[in-house]
Amino acid sequence: MFNLNSIIRPNILALKAYSSARDEYKGSEGIFLDANENPYGSLNRYPDPNQLTLKSMLAERSAVKKENVFIGNGSDELIDLAFRIFCIPGKDKAFTFSPTYGMYNVSAAINDVELIESPLDSEFQINLNLALATINKNKPKLIFICSPNNPTGNTLRISDIESILNSTNGIVIIDEAYIDFSNSPSWLTRLNKFPNLIILQTFSKARGLASARIGIGYSTPEIIALLNKAKPPYNVSQLNQKAAIQSLNNEAQYQTNLKLIIAGKKQLELAFRQIRSIKKIYPSEANFILIKIDNAELVYNSLCNMNIITRNRSAIIANTLRISIGSKEENEELINALKTL
Ligand SMILES: Cc1ncc(COP(=O)(O)O)c(C=O)c1O
């Protein structure tokens, strides 16, 4: 039986959150002499610590309440916060699949938490029996599931994820950084069904705001309250909140860019099929394609020498490169470069 209070780190359970000046006074008009700010300038005031405008907009479009929404300084901040809220360093464990997004491992190491990695099968799907047995044995406090998965690009079977959600007393974090590019539904529609689910999304990919560092966590109000308690008070700058709000107000631009990226993926897939050294194009529901290619290391270095930077994933999946979808022109340059090799 999932019991939230029993899996929270005792120091976080006992923590009294910092209350900022802007938490105590809610109005936006007045003479503000409460936060030791500078009265001059245009960026002189602290940002809204609760990001209420942005949260309300996200809640409305996702049919959830703003109490279900957390904004982080990128979703990487949420990954780290989850470790700090739930895992006692040197004692508790976390779980994920491999290969997957590298920050789960890095954040686990920073927090001195053992991350158990269960290998995905040859189709990069979950081996459910193995996963459930490992989870049952190790009782991880956190389970990270990246879908669509980075670097493989595929979504993970819904029924497998559901079995994991139902069979653990820990928190399941479904990382949907690439969900906008996928035909599979987001888990957001089922958020209310699971008391132990956190869904991560980000403005860094489909919304083109990687530089603004806006990550979103959707969960129960109880888990969102814990994230709020543990975050630095002003974790998202006013400039970045504004950039995210502008993006949500410009749906046409988002849709146009999304279509261009999906068309660019088709352009690359078609061209890759004509290149003999490319042995496999992994099906992708993300804004990148993983390819298996002869002499990946050499190809990677040759492309770098031509100022075309890809991601060499050969250390985790033999002879593979992960290639982000660029603009039409960038994709053409890449194709031409690959043809010369
Ligand atoms: C699966 C996944 N999650 C999270 C992130 C980080 O997102 P953010 O820019 O919101 O920190 C990335 C970035 O590449 C990613 O691939």
Side-chain angles (χ1 to χ4, degrees):
M1 221 0 223
F2 176 74
N3 176 342
L4 181 63
N5 279 353
S6 73
I7 61 164
I8 302 168
R9 266 173 66 172
N11 63 313
I12 299 292
L13 203 52
L15 178 72
K16 190 171 175 324
Y18 178 79
S19 172
S20 72
R22 294 298 127 83
D23 277 323
E24 286 164 17
Y25 178 78
K26 302 282 182 217
S28 57
E29 300 298 319
I31 298 173
F32 288 101
L33 306 175
D34 57 339
N36 301 343
E37 295 155 335
N38 187 317
Y40 310 112
S42 57
L43 292 175
N44 52 326
R45 301 292 177 193
Y46 282 104
D48 173 7
N50 301 309
Q51 306 102 16
L52 283 181
T53 308
L54 180 54
K55 279 183 187 168
S56 301
M57 290 174 86
L58 286 167
E60 199 185 311
R61 62 179 49 218
S62 309
V64 296
K65 300 207 172 73
K66 64 180 187 320
E67 290 73 22
N68 294 113
V69 186
F70 178 85
I71 310 291
N73 189 13
S75 31
D76 284 343
E77 184 184 34
L78 275 132
I79 295 168
D80 180 63
L81 279 172
F83 278 106
R84 290 197 281 142
I85 291 169
F86 294 107
C87 296
I88 300 176
K91 177 171 177 258
D92 288 334
K93 294 179 186 168
F95 173 95
T96 194
F97 297 95
S98 67
T100 196
Y101 180 46
M103 274 309 287
Y104 313 141
N105 203 323
V106 172
S107 260
I110 290 170
N111 288 286
D112 191 17
V113 172
E114 184 187 345
L115 180 72
I116 297 156
E117 298 185 32
S118 183
L120 293 171
D121 68 16
S122 56
E123 309 267 87
F124 298 132
Q125 283 297 332
I126 293 173
N127 177 338
L128 190 61
N129 288 340
L130 176 64
L132 291 182
T134 313
I135 290 166
N136 195 25
K137 180 167 167 239
N138 292 284
K139 313 228 165 342
K141 288 274 192 77
L142 297 179
I143 296 175
F144 289 92
I145 303 177
C146 187
S147 182
N149 189 33
N150 175 6
T152 59
N154 61 302
T155 46
L156 301 180
R157 265 188 305 266
I158 292 173
S159 56
D160 291 347
I161 299 180
E162 186 160 355
S163 297
I164 294 171
L165 271 160
N166 286 328
S167 63
T168 175
N169 289 331
I171 300 284
V172 177
I173 300 179
I174 305 182
D175 189 340
E176 294 190 335
Y178 300 97
I179 196 68
D180 310 56
F181 305 104
S182 168
N183 293 324
S184 300
S186 163
W187 279 83
L188 253 180
T189 52
R190 304 180 65 199
L191 184 67
N192 294 335
K193 300 226 158 39
F194 302 100
N196 58 340
L197 172 61
I198 302 178
I199 298 166
L200 298 187
Q201 293 185 357
T202 178
F203 277 65
S204 296
K205 311 295 174 185
R207 293 213 167 259
L209 285 182
S211 166
R213 312 305 303 124
I214 302 279
I216 317 162
Y218 295 97
S219 191
T220 62
E222 293 75 21
I223 293 176
I224 296 297
L226 285 168
L227 289 162
N228 282 327
K229 197 164 144 179
K231 80 180 178 76
Y234 303 109
N235 60 326
V236 181
S237 83
Q238 200 63 44
L239 289 173
N240 296 350
Q241 292 183 45
K242 206 169 148 194
I245 291 164
Q246 270 171 0
S247 163
L248 293 178
N249 279 331
N250 196 347
E251 198 58 21
Q253 183 76 65
Y254 160 77
Q255 291 294 349
T256 305
N257 290 350
L258 198 59
K259 283 198 189 104
L260 282 173
I261 292 167
I262 288 168
K265 184 158 70 176
K266 290 217 175 81
Q267 173 198 10
L268 281 183
E269 279 167 349
L270 279 176
F272 287 170
R273 281 199 209 126
Q274 314 300 320
I275 296 173
R276 280 234 215 96
S277 55
I278 297 181
K279 296 296 184 250
K280 184 157 184 154
I281 304 162
Y282 292 89
S284 165
E285 295 200 43
N287 66 335
F288 57 81
I289 305 176
L290 185 74
I291 56 168
K292 200 175 255 302
I293 185 163
D294 291 336
N295 303 315
E297 188 81 25
L298 193 71
V299 174
Y300 168 77
N301 287 326
S302 308
L303 288 173
C304 280
N305 289 336
M306 292 186 251
N307 283 336
I308 299 176
I309 324 303
T310 61
R311 188 84 157 117
N312 185 0
R313 297 283 73 188
S314 303
I316 48 176
I317 312 165
N319 265 330
T320 52
L321 299 181
R322 193 196 65 198
I323 298 172
S324 310
I325 314 302
S327 66
K328 190 163 183 282
E329 296 72 28
E330 288 171 334
N331 296 340
E332 273 161 13
E333 282 210 35
L334 168 77
I335 295 160
N336 292 336
L338 281 171
K339 283 181 181 159
T340 67
L341 297 178

